[in-house]
């Protein structure tokens, strides 16, 4: 068994879609980033890579590489799963928390868990996606962006 942790945050920006856990969330602003800036999927990817000691999302998918410009982070997650599998591991479960002052994410959490579970090769009952409010504290509380934490448990195949 191997455990990993991932953390990411992205700033809000005008004129982009908001994608979290591979799910399009209706909102006037999206997140700034080289890919689709899916902060939750990025945290999950880093948790998976960390559990297998395979480095970081920035090493595997550098934001200087034009191949990853505007790409769906689910495609990056698929490639991460290939790396994890090649290293001899499969996913047991993943848990995660999104920290966002806005928008209200509760109606979308189940869809995010199902979307991620499909890519992770596990039942959706093995993927936790939660949302918490920063209670108006700090940059996240000032609605400047969204952050996400994730943990992943892997087992040897
Ligand atoms: Mg990121």
């Amino acid at each position: 068994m191997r455990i990993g942790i991932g953390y990411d945050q992205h700033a809000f920006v005008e004129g982009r879609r908001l994608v979290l856990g591979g799910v399009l969330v209706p909102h006037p602003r999206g997140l700034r980033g080289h890919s689709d800036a899916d902060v939750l999927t990025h945290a999950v990817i880093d948790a998976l890579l960390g559990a297998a000691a395979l480095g970081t999302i920035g090493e595997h998918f550098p934001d200087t590489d034009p191949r990853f410009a505007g790409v769906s982070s689910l495609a990056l997650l698929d490639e991460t799963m290939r790396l994890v599998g090649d290293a001899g591991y499969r996913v047991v479960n993943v848990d995660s928390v999104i920290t966002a002052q806005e928008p209200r994410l509760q109606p979308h959490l189940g869809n995010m868990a199902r979307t991620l579970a499909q890519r992770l090769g596990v039942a959706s009952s093995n993927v936790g996606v939660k949302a918490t409010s920063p209670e108006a504290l700090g940059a996240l509380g000032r609605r400047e962006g969204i952050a996400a934490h994730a943990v992943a448990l892997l087992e040897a195949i």
Side-chain angles (χ1 to χ4, degrees), residues 24-38:
L24 183 62
V25 177
H27 193 57
R29 297 187 293 172
L31 296 173
R32 182 191 305 138
H34 186 62
S35 65
D36 63 0
D38 182 341

Side-chain angles (χ1 to χ4, degrees), residues 12 16 22 42 49 75 78 95 100 105 107-108 118-120 127 135:
F12 275 125
R16 292 201 88 190
H42 291 185
L49 291 173
D78 289 344
D95 192 20
L105 297 174
H108 307 285
Q118 185 179 18
R119 302 302 180 120
L120 294 166
V127 178
E135 300 292 347

Side-chain angles (χ1 to χ4, degrees), residues 7-10 32-35 37-43 46 57 73:
Y7 173 77
D8 195 23
Q9 61 179 12
H10 283 262
R32 182 191 305 138
H34 186 62
S35 65
D38 182 341
V39 65
L40 173 59
T41 300
H42 291 185
D46 251 352
I57 187 172
S73 294

Side-chain angles (χ1 to χ4, degrees), residues 52-131:
L54 287 172
T56 68
I57 187 172
E59 292 168 21
H60 290 281
F61 312 109
D63 61 10
T64 53
D65 190 329
R67 283 183 303 153
F68 305 127
V71 74
S72 167
S73 294
L74 292 179
L76 307 183
L77 179 57
D78 289 344
E79 174 63 12
T80 300
M81 286 303 298
R82 193 186 65 75
L83 294 167
V84 167
D86 286 350
Y89 297 104
R90 66 177 161 232
V91 174
V92 177
N93 77 302
V94 166
D95 192 20
S96 62
V97 187
I98 305 165
T99 306
Q101 192 68 48
E102 65 174 29
R104 186 172 142 69
L105 297 174
Q106 194 65 37
H108 307 285
L109 299 180
N111 197 9
M112 293 178 202
R114 284 188 293 276
T115 300
L116 291 172
Q118 185 179 18
R119 302 302 180 120
L120 294 166
V122 298
S124 54
S125 58
N126 293 318
V127 178
V129 180
K130 308 182 294 299

